[in-house]
Amino acid sequence: MAKKMMASTLITVFIGLFFSFLAAMSLHRSEQLAIEHEIQKDVENAALSLGRELNIGIELLYALRNQIALSDEINEDAFVVFADSVMDRHPNIRSMEWAEYLVEKDRDLYEAEAALEFALFEIVELSANGQLVKAASRNQYFPVRYVTPYEENQNVMGFDLASRPSMKDALEMSWYRGVPIATPAIRLKREFEDHSGFLMLLPVFVGNPETQTDREAALRGFLVALFDVQDIFDIAISNTVNEAINLELIDKGLNEQSDVIFQNIVDLAESPVMTLGYTSKPIYFAGREWVLRGTPTIDYVQTRMSIYPYLIFVVGMIIFSLLAYLQYVLQHRALSVQKRVDAKTRELRDANKKLEKMSKADGLTGRYNRDYFDECVDAEVKRSQRDRLAMSMLIVEIDHMSAYNEKHGRVGGDKVIRLVSQALADKLKRPGDLLARYGGESFAILLPNTKDGAPIAQLCFDAVKVLKLPFDKEAGDDIVTVSIGGVTVLKSEEIDPTKFMAYAEIALNKAIAEGRDQTHWIYSPEDNQPHVGG
């Protein structure tokens, strides 16, 4: 009997030990999963905040470019006023430069004119030993003409950005594409330590060129902004992550070669828990791809791990009958933590969806923007090729919009653009028809599964006429008119998105060349052209 009691006791102890161990390990794993989700949430929030700060900087550069574009000439005082206003709103920008574009034949005259503002001004470059020397002769130059703050950066005056191959490649990419480009990370000297930074290049053109060929001929120069990565990081991360998480900012580069450009180590004495590390989704901006790598410290994990697994194990050994109840309570607690994490994740996902929807809209008219329109054209061409359907597209340009703005001001011009946008939208009845703002004073309409878009173009043309928007009340009865060019493709398998949009632009150019205030339509192939007017 004693042996049986001993055996029964031992069996009970072993069963209690076994199930207590299983319950403790189960809770431990649940809490660990909850910690993993919380780490992921913190790192993704930090990455989102970081991307938002970078985009704010880009938007301010665009605003500065718009101010410069409105000026026929720019001098040092005007540039400093414009640039300082941007730097005041975005303290991450350490300095701003204006680099002008010139060719070899204009170099001597340019240096002579610049010397009237800055004594001994000349175009310089870095020699092999790191000294500033007179720049060698080359076809193109991008010398720094103005810089602010001047006292800290006067050594870059006259420096030819194109003298460095990597910088020249970035300049040409930004120039030809007409978009901001960020350089790889560079080292910034500070009082006690070095920091990472990068240059943001934004081309400034004469007018609003829309094609690469136009941009090549219309370049005035570049706005160059120097960003401090730590300043951006501190502002972005201070609002999101205040926990014991070690963070690394990684530049993925263009050749699959990653580079850690910034580290935020919470405590060098604490070892990070590498198994719980998490890498954020990519942060895309200005031609670069960054990711944020977060690794929690032991303190971060320990403060979120409860003592309940250990209590369960001890209590299970002593009071086995309470095991199920204790396990239920503790599992319920872990589930609640998981639900809170999931709720936060859903909120973040909803916020991202809202941001994505906002990114597709044009700020002035509320219609779709050019980037989204390009995506839709690409998708519609593929669909039409797959289903062998016809498709049409038209571009509507408001005639003499620049003259209207000069007469009535930008506010009046914006009102005309909105009214024309609404008039065009009212003529589109099918759900699949897409209206987008194509340029400053132009709109584009995509007509899927349409064998002849010329009638729609005529309806749009007449709709603007009906508005009877006076062009100049004092000069007579002239009203605002539009020129419309479009294309219908009957054999979609023979065309690609670029050619499809190019046909529409060619048609618009013909309508403009023929005197404006009319429509011009192209059919591809031409032998299938129906007998229509317009």
Side-chain angles (χ1 to χ4, degrees), residues 235-246:
I235 292 177
I237 304 307
S238 63
N239 297 326
T240 54
V241 178
N242 294 314
E243 303 288 352
I245 300 180
N246 297 325

Side-chain angles (χ1 to χ4, degrees), residues 358-427:
M358 292 173 61
S359 68
K360 297 178 180 179
D362 170 59
L364 176 61
T365 63
R367 308 299 172 188
Y368 290 114
N369 59 26
R370 173 67 182 273
D371 291 339
Y372 181 69
F373 182 81
D374 290 346
E375 295 176 5
C376 292
V377 169
D378 185 67
E380 183 56 35
V381 168
K382 292 178 181 178
R383 187 179 77 88
S384 298
Q385 290 173 343
R386 183 184 66 246
D387 299 337
R388 298 183 179 278
L389 300 174
M391 56 184 177
S392 299
M393 171 186 168
L394 59 97
I395 302 177
V396 182
E397 180 173 306
I398 303 174
D399 294 330
H400 309 297
M401 196 62 205
S402 298
Y404 189 93
N405 285 335
E406 292 178 2
K407 180 67 178 177
H408 300 281
R410 180 67 62 179
V411 175
D414 290 347
K415 182 178 179 181
V416 167
I417 291 174
R418 286 193 294 267
L419 290 172
V420 171
S421 168
Q422 185 59 50
L424 297 177
D426 291 341
K427 296 302 176 183

Side-chain angles (χ1 to χ4, degrees), residues 478-499:
D478 290 344
I479 62 173
V480 173
T481 61
V482 295
S483 298
I484 301 178
V487 60
T488 293
V489 175
L490 300 176
K491 295 182 179 180
S492 56
E493 62 273 12
E494 298 178 359
I495 202 166
D496 57 49
T498 302
K499 186 181 294 185

